[in-house]
Amino acid sequence: MPAAKKTARRRSAIHPDLATLLLTEAQIKRRVRTLAKEIKTAFGDGEFTIVSLINGAIMFTADLMREIDNPVRLDCIRVSSYGAKTKSVGTPSVIASITLDITGRNVLLVDDILDTGKTLNLVAALILKQKPASLRTCVLLDKKSRREVPFQADFVGFDIPDKFVVGYGLDFAERYRNLPCIGVLRPERYNSGSA
Ligand code: IMP
Ligand code: MG
């Protein structure tokens, strides 16, 4: 089999730890492109500062910002993660904060997924304390049915059902972030441990 055909075959195969494929690489790429247009319409031509929640939003942020031709600044914020669990427990806390000065700046906060809403609530409140000119939020995925604290993102890539998903930056116990697609993790992959 020619090498190119073999590669295409490998990439289209679902990872064995996924129960179902939710979003293909092509679907994500298309939506990221249209999201970037929506963001551009809202911000106009001016400069803005992207604040990305790492590690989860790494891939999404990298792809999204390459579709935006405005002048942008980038900073990252790290919030405590689920660890080897599939549900958030307790209150998230900031582990590493941003270093750029965002006072008087237009800010776009980017995360991979909006679930209970606790993380973005916390981070948005911290950013607002620094008195930005404006704050908008963009998430690739939204599990609306799981919300515990009210939070609505300004830009949403896809609404998804209440399933634990991995890939394209999203992890379980730090694994699967490198999958180019997004899928539902097989429950036996997390039921065996402390999850
Ligand atoms: P929230 O604070 O409950 O809204 O959770 C947001 C964070 O939880 C996200 O930034 C993710 O890191 C993580 N998370 C929520 N749902 C999932 C999922 O289905 N897969 C992987 N990570 C998730
Ligand atoms: Mg995250």
Side-chain angles (χ1 to χ4, degrees), residues 11-195:
R11 289 179 81 82
S12 66
I14 299 180
H15 189 283
D17 291 357
L18 296 184
T20 49
L21 180 65
L22 202 65
L23 296 163
T24 65
E25 192 177 358
Q27 283 174 311
I28 297 170
K29 197 171 246 174
R30 269 200 303 275
R31 185 65 185 115
V32 167
R33 215 165 267 164
T34 57
L35 262 180
K37 285 198 183 118
E38 290 171 30
I39 290 167
K40 172 113 186 125
T41 304
F43 279 94
D45 293 329
E47 183 183 272
F48 59 94
T49 303
I50 295 173
V51 175
S52 174
L53 274 92
I54 55 173
N55 293 331
I58 272 184
M59 287 200 199
F60 177 41
T61 305
D63 287 343
L64 185 70
M65 65 189 292
R66 278 179 292 184
E67 295 292 336
I68 292 170
D69 56 7
N70 295 48
V72 292
R73 304 190 309 159
L74 173 68
D75 207 342
C76 296
I77 189 162
R78 185 187 291 274
V79 177
S80 55
S81 80
Y82 284 12
K85 296 191 170 57
T86 58
K87 301 268 190 249
S88 85
V89 277
T91 316
S93 57
V94 173
I95 293 171
S97 201
I98 55 169
T99 53
L100 286 181
D101 183 6
I102 53 162
T103 305
R105 305 290 191 136
N106 293 311
V107 175
L108 178 69
L109 184 57
V110 178
D111 201 6
D112 51 1
I113 187 165
L114 185 46
D115 187 26
T116 64
K118 290 183 203 166
T119 304
L120 280 176
N121 239 295
L122 171 85
V123 175
L126 285 175
I127 287 181
L128 286 172
K129 268 193 193 157
Q130 298 189 42
K131 306 231 177 307
S134 67
L135 173 63
R136 293 182 176 92
T137 311
C138 175
V139 293
L140 179 66
L141 308 174
D142 192 353
K143 283 192 212 171
K144 287 205 166 69
S145 61
R146 292 252 317 142
R147 210 72 93 245
E148 288 176 25
V149 289
F151 196 96
Q152 208 176 328
D154 299 286
F155 309 98
V156 174
F158 303 92
D159 285 315
I160 65 160
D162 180 12
K163 301 271 185 216
F164 191 78
V165 295
V166 294
Y168 195 68
L170 292 132
D171 75 309
F172 171 69
E174 292 306 322
R175 294 181 64 215
Y176 309 107
R177 290 197 200 274
N178 57 330
L179 299 185
C181 59
I182 294 173
V184 178
L185 187 62
R186 284 186 188 284
E188 59 265 34
R189 287 280 146 225
Y190 50 79
N191 282 340
S192 54
S194 56

